[in-house]
């Protein structure tokens, strides 16, 4: 099964995709959020282009594991998206994924800038989800 993952932030959405076997994640894109309607059209196009069968979205939990206002907003946003696209949705803990993404980029000799870090964070989220499915 191929998954599309989202790292939904206040201003940007990072996107990653898995291979067809659902084993490996790779960063795909970053786009600026505008409105739900426009965002959902962009996500739908990526889903169709990459033949994704399910969504994984990062859930921004507090460090103690509790949910705050941002997690509630992401739950609402991604639930509406999944319903409109008629796809299964998996929410996945995204704590420290941006930090991990920055470390990965630095290890590759790249500056961890906004033009790509959210896509790398989405790949970190997705890879964590995929790894947990194959334990």
């Amino acid at each position: 099964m191929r998954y599309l993952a989202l790292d939904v932030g206040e201003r940007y959405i990072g996107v990653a995709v898995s291979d067809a076997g659902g084993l490996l994640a790779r960063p795909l894109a970053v786009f600026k959020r505008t409105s739900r309607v426009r965002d959902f059209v962009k996500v739908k196009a990526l889903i169709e282009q990459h033949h994704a069968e399910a969504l994984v979205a990062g859930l921004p939990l507090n460090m103690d594991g509790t949910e705050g206002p941002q997690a509630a907003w992401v739950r609402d946003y991604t639930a509406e998206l999944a319903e409109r696209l008629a796809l299964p949705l998996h929410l996945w803990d995204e704590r420290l994924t941006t930090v991990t993404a920055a470390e990965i980029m630095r290890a590759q000799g790249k500056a961890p800038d906004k033009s790509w870090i959210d896509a790398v964070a989405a790949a970190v989220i997705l890879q964590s989800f995929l790894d947990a499915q194959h334990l």
Side-chain angles (χ1 to χ4, degrees):
M1 174 177 284
R2 189 179 307 264
Y3 295 88
L4 191 84
L6 305 174
D7 180 14
V8 182
E10 292 180 20
R11 292 180 286 161
Y12 296 94
I13 297 176
V15 185
V17 67
S18 75
D19 64 332
L23 296 173
L24 297 173
R26 68 176 173 87
L28 185 62
V30 175
F31 65 89
K32 188 171 174 65
R33 282 193 41 241
T34 54
S35 69
R36 285 190 182 198
V37 171
R38 288 184 184 140
D39 296 350
F40 293 178
V41 167
K42 288 180 184 177
V43 173
K44 181 180 181 185
L46 291 169
I47 286 167
E48 290 172 352
Q49 179 182 359
H50 295 280
H51 309 287
E53 301 169 72
L55 292 169
V56 175
L59 186 63
L61 299 174
N62 296 321
M63 289 309 290
D64 65 1
T66 61
E67 292 187 22
Q70 186 66 16
W73 183 88
V74 167
R75 275 187 184 278
D76 179 66
Y77 182 96
T78 56
E80 183 180 342
L81 172 64
E83 183 178 320
R84 286 192 186 198
L85 299 178
L87 285 177
L89 170 65
H90 306 275
L91 294 173
W92 199 253
D93 183 355
E94 71 166 41
R95 283 179 286 182
L96 300 175
T97 55
T98 301
V99 172
T100 302
E103 290 172 359
I104 289 168
M105 291 179 76
R106 279 196 279 294
Q108 294 176 343
K110 300 174 185 171
D113 61 28
K114 266 299 188 195
S115 67
W116 197 241
I117 195 165
D118 293 326
V120 176
V124 171
I125 292 163
L126 182 53
Q127 192 62 58
S128 174
F129 171 82
L130 296 173
D131 291 348
Q133 305 313 300
H134 295 97
L135 288 180

